[in-house]
Amino acid sequence: MSDYMICPYCLRKMKKTDLKMVCNICGKPQEKLKMGMNPFKNFGVIRKKIAGGNACQTSGCLGSYVNVKCGMCGEELPPDIAQYSRYLRLSLIGPSGAGKTVFITTMLQELRQNARTLKFSLSAMNKETSDYQSTNTEILYDSYAKKIIGGTTTGQFKALLWRLQDLNKMSSSYTPSYSLTIFDGAGEDQKVVNPIVCRYIVESKMIMLLLDPTKLYGVCSRLDQDDFKRAGGNSEVSRASTEQFVNGMINYIKKLAGLKVSEQITAPVAVVLGKMDVLKQLFPTNSIVFQESGHVKSGHFIQQEADAVHQEIWDFMELCGDDLSARFDANFKNWKYFGISSFGMRPQVNRMLQQPPQPMRVLDPLIWDLYLEGIVSGK
């Protein structure tokens, strides 16, 4: 078990003793017996604790100390927050309209659907996370022809708390369990240094940088107007705006992390080119990026396949005149290109779908991150 945990809200490191146990009825915190306290003086309290386990010490209260709060910020935490062997923190960064929320929703849905192959069990750690996923899943998979998922409200940041249990390494009496916190923030907030976003990115062990092809000048110049609208493009794009966007993203991350211009970002960065469904006609017909993910199929991270996808996207970006690799090499210590489509098909011009999503390679960036953490094995 990890020596410390991190509060998913204030992101401060805590020891088990920093947590506050709170009564589930009266809401009062549990008082800890101090060293040297006369046990006979508190015999009634001690007897109640022995008889009732975590029974509330407040006179007349029938509650128990089962709720947990952060001792620093006071936010209520999942009751099992101190019981994980790893605390994984993932920040998803991208411009407004890039499809971050849709990406997260389909990624987690695919992780659940491929649980048997990948040998991972995924479950929400709190009601807010469960409601977030179930609401967005219902919109995408059940009401796809009537609704689209809206963007995250500006100034609103969601800490999604997931429990990831590793069936690959379980024994007859133990299953390794990891806390996976995913931070989903509004794209517009990249224009302002918000202290909450700052803490999220600085404390993240993994970063996914989602590139929107409708904001890359060279790519847009190759898309016809119909495909541009299908991909959610709604404004003119120039070479200057593309450079401003990419430079702004890198400067944004480095500024929040307190890094000098010459220092590299050490957290692994998955540079994810999204909305590949509208880019398929621009790639060679035998491109690996549009084939079934071997990582998911085998349950392992396949280095050769990841390198091939990375090279295909690199070549495509270079062909379009949007080559960003030199900039990423200079600023990211460890990065890799990925191509994904949350829908897996070209949406209609009104961005609705004709059938439920068939996501393409949305798990690849996460599997790479878990491989780097030593959780997923390689081939």
Side-chain angles (χ1 to χ4, degrees):
M1 187 175 293
S2 177
D3 293 333
Y4 67 88
M5 66 217 78
I6 289 184
C7 173
Y9 299 103
C10 68
L11 296 176
R12 292 186 176 94
K13 291 181 180 179
M14 300 181 294
K15 293 183 178 179
K16 205 171 183 179
T17 52
D18 293 325
L19 295 174
K20 281 185 178 179
M21 302 303 297
V22 180
C23 177
N24 62 338
I25 293 181
C26 70
K28 292 184 178 179
Q30 182 180 27
E31 293 183 9
K32 299 177 182 178
L33 293 177
K34 298 179 180 179
M35 294 293 291
M37 182 178 287
N38 184 346
F40 295 99
K41 183 178 179 181
N42 295 277
F43 180 73
V45 171
I46 295 172
R47 182 175 61 185
K48 187 174 182 182
K49 289 183 70 179
I50 294 174
N54 289 326
C56 180
Q57 299 168 12
T58 303
S59 177
C61 182
L62 300 178
S64 299
Y65 294 117
V66 293
N67 290 346
V68 181
K69 287 188 177 182
C70 172
M72 299 177 186
C73 69
E75 286 283 350
E76 185 167 341
L77 303 174
D80 59 3
I81 190 65
Q83 300 174 17
Y84 295 93
S85 58
R86 298 274 191 92
Y87 291 85
L88 309 175
R89 299 175 298 281
L90 166 64
S91 280
L92 185 59
I93 307 171
S96 176
K100 297 185 298 299
T101 303
V102 177
F103 176 30
I104 290 174
T105 302
T106 55
M107 178 180 70
L108 295 173
Q109 184 69 3
E110 286 292 293
L111 186 57
R112 281 177 163 171
Q113 291 181 354
N114 291 279
R116 178 175 294 184
T117 302
L118 296 173
K119 295 184 178 179
F120 283 111
S121 173
L122 181 74
S123 57
M125 291 171 64
N126 60 10
K127 186 176 184 299
E128 290 76 15
T129 297
S130 178
D131 289 347
Y132 174 94
Q133 182 67 11
S134 61
T135 297
N136 288 333
T137 300
E138 192 278 331
I139 293 174
L140 265 180
Y141 291 84
D142 298 327
S143 304
Y144 53 85
K146 300 176 183 177
K147 301 177 183 177
I148 57 173
I149 293 179
T152 305
T153 305
T154 303
Q156 179 180 349
F157 310 97
K158 295 183 182 297
L160 307 175
L161 312 182
W162 292 96
R163 180 185 301 109
L164 191 63
Q165 294 183 284
D166 191 350
L167 307 183
N168 288 284
K169 301 180 179 68
M170 71 176 181
S171 65
S172 58
S173 59
Y174 174 75
T175 304
S177 301
Y178 319 119
S179 167
L180 173 61
T181 302
I182 301 176
F183 302 119
D184 176 20
E188 295 89 346
D189 293 309
Q190 293 161 26
K191 300 175 183 177
V192 180
V193 180
N194 184 291
I196 300 177
V197 177
C198 174
R199 294 298 301 275
Y200 283 175
I201 295 176
V202 169
E203 294 294 342
S204 288
K205 300 182 73 173
M206 305 172 279
I207 296 173
M208 290 186 190
L209 176 56
L210 186 58
L211 296 180
D212 184 347
T214 68
K215 290 179 171 57
L216 298 172
Y217 177 80
V219 175
C220 286
S221 65
R222 292 170 176 263
L223 288 174
D224 60 35
Q225 193 63 24
D226 181 64
D227 282 336
F228 183 73
K229 290 181 179 179
R230 290 173 186 268
N234 54 16
S235 62
E236 294 185 2
V237 181
S238 65
R239 291 193 186 279
S241 65
T242 298
E243 291 181 5
Q244 289 170 2
F245 162 67
V246 175
N247 288 334
M249 293 290 285
I250 292 174
N251 294 338
Y252 176 72
I253 297 172
K254 295 183 79 169
K255 182 176 182 179
L256 297 182
L259 297 176
K260 297 178 181 178
V261 66
S262 58
E263 292 180 301
Q264 291 183 314
I265 295 165
T266 56
V269 180
V271 181
V272 183
L273 184 61
K275 304 178 181 180
M276 292 292 290
D277 43 82
V278 296
L279 303 180
K280 187 172 184 179
Q281 58 184 336
L282 304 179
F283 278 74
T285 54
N286 60 344
S287 295
I288 295 176
V289 68
F290 291 102
Q291 297 175 17
E292 183 182 5
S293 172
H295 313 298
V296 176
K297 189 175 181 180
S298 68
H300 304 277
F301 176 74
I302 304 174
Q303 187 69 56
Q304 185 176 2
E305 180 175 323
D307 290 344
V309 169
H310 172 82
Q311 191 63 52
E312 285 180 353
I313 296 178
W314 187 329
D315 293 343
F316 171 73
M317 299 283 276
E318 187 176 40
L319 180 66
C320 293
D322 292 320
D323 186 13
L324 307 172
S325 54
R327 214 160 304 172
F328 294 149
D329 280 339
N331 293 283
F332 300 148
K333 185 175 181 179
N334 186 12
W335 72 278
K336 190 176 288 292
Y337 272 129
F338 293 88
I340 65 104
S341 170
S342 298
F343 293 148
M345 65 192 77
R346 294 170 74 230
Q348 301 175 68
V349 176
N350 61 4
R351 297 177 61 199
M352 299 297 182
L353 301 178
Q354 294 179 322
Q355 61 186 49
Q358 302 293 325
M360 185 197 83
R361 290 191 175 272
V362 292
L363 279 177
D364 288 10
L366 180 61
I367 292 175
W368 178 61
D369 281 325
L370 295 178
Y371 164 74
L372 294 177
E373 284 284 329
I375 296 173
V376 169
S377 60
K379 280 182 73 174

